[in-house]
Amino acid sequence: KGVGALFVRRGRRVEPITMGGGQERNVRSGTVNVPGVVGMGAALELCAALMADEIGRLTTLRNRLWDRLVAEISGIEINGPREGRLAGNLNASFARLESDALIMAMRRFSLSSGSACSSGDRDVSPTLKAIGCDDARAFSSIRFGLGRSNTDQQIDLLVEDLKRSVSRLREISAA
């Protein structure tokens, strides 16, 4: 808590947000949290050592999710390209469904209709608009975030739950 890192490119000037003390070349004031800095350094070393393998593993999981969704759920479109995206990120739109209804129906999984920084914001995602999604498609989109603890079995459970929930919600909305 209270520790962070900032990469500043040579020749760039960073303005302080608080004054006093003169630490960190007058950019930050206050006493350095030495145990926190050491812990963050150790965490960064661990992440750097595992990064390439983890990116490959997450890409494989994401592609498994992608392939199963497209093969097993009708009216689904993946938003954005398959290549050149974050390994643990997938965004998909579900035709004839509002993302909020699907999120509420998926009780075993935490899903999102947008980024964490847009929480509570019901405007259309500017990112989805930028890649060509119309409002209806954007409002039917779910963002899947995968991480270190996710497994193939969880992907399979997620797809099975999604199939049931999508089918049930589409039946209800058709009635």
Side-chain angles (χ1 to χ4, degrees):
K1 184 174 184 176
V3 176
L6 174 66
F7 175 84
V8 180
R9 197 174 306 277
R10 281 188 221 276
R12 303 295 279 193
R13 180 162 165 72
V14 177
E15 296 295 326
I17 58 172
T18 58
M19 300 299 184
Q23 290 85 354
E24 307 301 330
R25 298 185 181 133
N26 291 316
V27 173
R28 179 194 171 279
S29 62
T31 304
V32 175
N33 173 0
V34 175
V37 170
V38 171
M40 186 176 80
L44 290 171
E45 285 178 350
L46 179 62
C47 287
L50 301 174
M51 190 179 326
D53 289 342
E54 186 63 6
I55 288 171
R57 190 185 77 77
L58 288 175
T59 299
T60 299
L61 276 179
R62 184 205 61 220
N63 290 343
R64 178 187 185 94
L65 176 58
W66 177 307
D67 293 338
R68 288 210 51 204
L69 288 173
V70 171
E72 299 179 36
I73 300 176
S74 65
I76 189 169
E77 293 182 77
I78 304 299
N79 299 316
R82 185 171 186 131
E83 303 302 322
R85 69 185 314 133
L86 290 173
N89 183 281
L90 183 66
N91 192 297
S93 59
F94 295 79
R96 303 182 322 276
L97 284 182
E98 288 234 353
S99 57
D100 291 347
L102 185 54
I103 289 169
M104 301 254 308
M106 294 291 294
R107 297 191 189 278
R108 291 199 297 179
F109 294 91
S110 296
L111 302 174
S112 171
S113 59
S115 64
C117 58
S118 67
S119 180
D121 186 3
R122 281 301 294 155
D123 289 339
V124 173
S125 161
T127 303
L128 292 177
K129 292 293 274 190
I131 63 171
C133 293
D134 61 23
D135 289 3
R137 183 168 172 179
F139 280 123
S140 70
S141 294
I142 300 285
R143 183 176 57 88
F144 300 93
L146 304 171
R148 177 174 285 174
S149 64
N150 292 124
T151 65
D152 286 342
Q153 294 78 17
Q154 289 172 328
I155 297 298
D156 295 340
L157 284 172
L158 172 63
V159 173
E160 292 306 315
D161 280 7
L162 279 167
K163 285 182 350 186
R164 279 191 296 276
S165 295
V166 167
S167 177
R168 187 175 68 244
L169 289 169
R170 285 181 177 159
E171 284 176 16
I172 293 168
S173 67

